[in-house]
Structure formats: C-alpha cells, structure tokens
Amino acid sequence: MTPKMLSMALIAASSAFAFTAQAADLKVAIDPTYEPFTFKTADGKPTGFDVDIANAICAEMKRNCVFVEQVWDSMIPGLQARKYDVVVSSLSITEERKRVIDFSDRYYKTPSAIVVKKGTAYANPASLKGKRIGVLKGSTQEKWAMGELKPAGVTVVPYEAQDQVYLDIKAGRLDGTVADKVEVHGGFLRKPEGKDYGYVGADQYETKYYGDGIGIGMRKGQKDLKEQVNKAIKTIRSNGTYNTIAKKYFDFDPYGN
C-alpha cells in the first residue's frame, strides 16, 4: 500500500469511527408510570413529554435514544451501576441528589400539590390528621409529605409507582396523594376515577424539598456529556422544538420561571 493509499484508508477509518461514535446509543432511564411525562401507548411503546424531550436531545447530539424502564426509587442506584447513561424521567434537581450525581440545566419546573376528596376542609397539614396519603417512593413529594404531613399525624404510604397510588385511592385504601400537579391532573384527576377529587392547599415549590426544577441526571465526572446535553437543551428551547413538544401535552409553558 502506497503512503497515499494508507493515508486515505486512515481518513476513511477515522470518519467511520466518528460516525459510529456520533450514532452511538444513549441509554435513557424512564419510569413509565408518570403520565403525561412518561407512560406507555396501547402497544407498549414509551411516550410522554420526557420521552419526546429525550428524543429531541438525542437528535441534536446525533445519537439514538434507547429507553430503559426502571422502578423510580432505583433510578439513581441504576445510574451509578451503569445500567444506563442518563435519567430523563422528571428527576428534580435537589442538593441531596447533587451530592451523588450530576444534572443538566433544568428542562421544566412545575409545582406539586395535595389531592384529596372534594369538599375536604384544609387549612394546614394538621387538617389531614388521621388520613392516609400515598406518595411515590423516593420522590420529592415523599420528602415533602414526610417533612410536613407525617409530623401532623398523617399516615404517609410510599408506593413503587404513582399509578399504584391512584389504584389504591380508587379502591378506598388511600384518602389522597401528594404529586406533581401536572402529572396528577393527567394521570388521575381528568379520568373518571378522579372526578370526585381535587387540589387543596397552596402549590408546592419549596426548594428544600423540590430543588430547582427538573433536570437530566448523569454520573459525576461526565463533563463532555453534560456540555452536549446542555447545548441540546438550549438549542431545542431556541429553535421551537421544545414549544412544539410542550403543546402536545400542556396548555401552558412547563419550563417555568
């Protein structure tokens, strides 16, 4: 092989490697029980706001999203164990979590709220004394409920998945839930089984429980990946892709203030 031919072969190999690296799969963890952010279509395909945002980010990074289903309270351990590369599943950016993983810039911020039967008198957490309130295990809503409701005499019951909470409310085993306000609307209140329930109390944004919005979780030390993800978030926010996705699921801007 002549030097020229060798040079051309090396360039071709380099180009092929670069393309392969760009097109590499990005394993994305989701908990598909959190409508309208992450849930499944009738034929079992993952969908929702988080899923569409993940696919848009992957497109900007020229990578292919491969979704990995994970139970919520095992999200961070699974990330640390390298079962997937990132978490795009409504993961709040809290100080506690930032001690063990890194986050992208936020990609949305919505409040949480208490949901109980309509007509329930509510002035403060003590108003719910004696009631059973279901929460997603390992969630920021569980932290809030344990910090604010449990000391007031409320029984806080953690569940592996938010949709299990709604099943037990319907069955009469729970009196209500604390959940993301958008999720509980899409996953429960707008459905027939939620017609007798509604919000009580103020919207919950407390930083000590809920952090600074929702971000994409990744292992510590992945500087290049973090930069690429943040660049992709900025791009889809500026080119209209984010707004197009948001309008599929919401009648407001979920990015927040």
Side-chain angles (χ1 to χ4, degrees):
M1 183 179 290
T2 66
K4 183 177 180 180
M5 291 172 65
L6 178 60
S7 177
M8 291 175 66
L10 288 172
I11 290 170
S14 176
S15 298
F17 175 80
F19 177 79
T20 301
Q22 281 186 320
D25 289 342
L26 187 73
K27 292 183 179 178
V28 179
I30 58 168
D31 171 9
T33 66
Y34 209 64
E35 189 178 353
F37 296 102
T38 47
F39 60 104
K40 289 182 178 180
T41 60
D43 57 359
K45 292 180 181 178
T47 189
F49 179 72
D50 284 334
V51 172
D52 286 0
I53 289 292
N55 279 322
I57 287 169
C58 279
E60 290 298 326
M61 294 168 61
K62 296 182 171 57
R63 297 183 70 171
N64 176 53
C65 278
V66 175
F67 294 99
V68 180
E69 294 180 21
Q70 182 71 38
V71 174
W72 178 254
D73 69 332
S74 299
M75 278 288 178
I76 290 176
L79 179 64
Q80 293 171 316
R82 299 179 180 272
K83 291 183 179 180
Y84 30 81
D85 304 304
V86 295
V87 176
V88 188
S89 195
S90 297
L91 192 63
S92 298
I93 306 168
T94 66
E95 290 302 318
E96 181 182 3
R97 289 170 178 165
K98 280 161 54 174
R99 287 196 284 270
V100 293
I101 65 171
D102 278 348
F103 280 93
S104 70
D105 297 336
R106 92 164 193 261
Y107 66 96
Y108 84 83
K109 184 177 183 179
T110 52
S112 291
I114 302 168
V115 169
V116 289
K117 231 167 200 181
K118 290 176 181 176
T120 300
Y122 183 88
N124 53 47
S127 304
L128 301 179
K129 183 177 180 179
K131 294 192 181 296
R132 292 172 57 83
I133 299 296
V135 292
L136 178 62
K137 188 177 180 182
S139 67
T140 50
Q141 290 81 17
E142 181 189 27
K143 297 275 186 195
W144 186 90
M146 289 297 190
E148 303 293 330
L149 296 182
K150 187 176 181 181
V154 178
T155 300
V156 178
V157 187
Y159 284 74
E160 295 289 342
Q162 187 65 30
D163 57 356
Q164 293 172 5
V165 174
Y166 302 142
L167 288 173
D168 271 9
I169 293 174
K170 182 181 178 182
R173 289 186 283 269
L174 291 172
D175 297 296
T177 185
V178 180
D180 180 280
K181 199 167 183 181
V182 177
E183 189 282 331
V184 75
H185 175 76
F188 181 63
L189 293 178
R190 70 178 179 85
K191 296 181 178 180
E193 54 267 35
K195 66 182 176 61
D196 294 327
Y197 291 79
Y199 307 112
V200 294
D203 288 353
Q204 300 166 7
Y205 283 106
E206 295 98 318
T207 302
K208 72 174 181 175
Y209 295 115
Y210 294 107
D212 299 310
I214 304 299
I216 293 169
M218 60 198 80
R219 289 183 292 277
K220 281 192 171 291
Q222 295 186 290
K223 182 181 177 182
D224 288 347
L225 178 61
K226 185 174 180 177
E227 289 176 352
Q228 290 170 28
V229 170
N230 282 340
K231 182 181 178 182
I233 291 172
K234 286 185 177 70
T235 299
I236 66 171
R237 286 276 301 153
S238 64
N239 68 9
T241 301
Y242 183 95
N243 287 341
T244 299
I245 294 170
K247 286 175 183 176
K248 284 177 60 179
Y249 302 98
F250 316 118
D251 57 4
F252 63 95
D253 180 5
Y255 188 75
N257 298 320

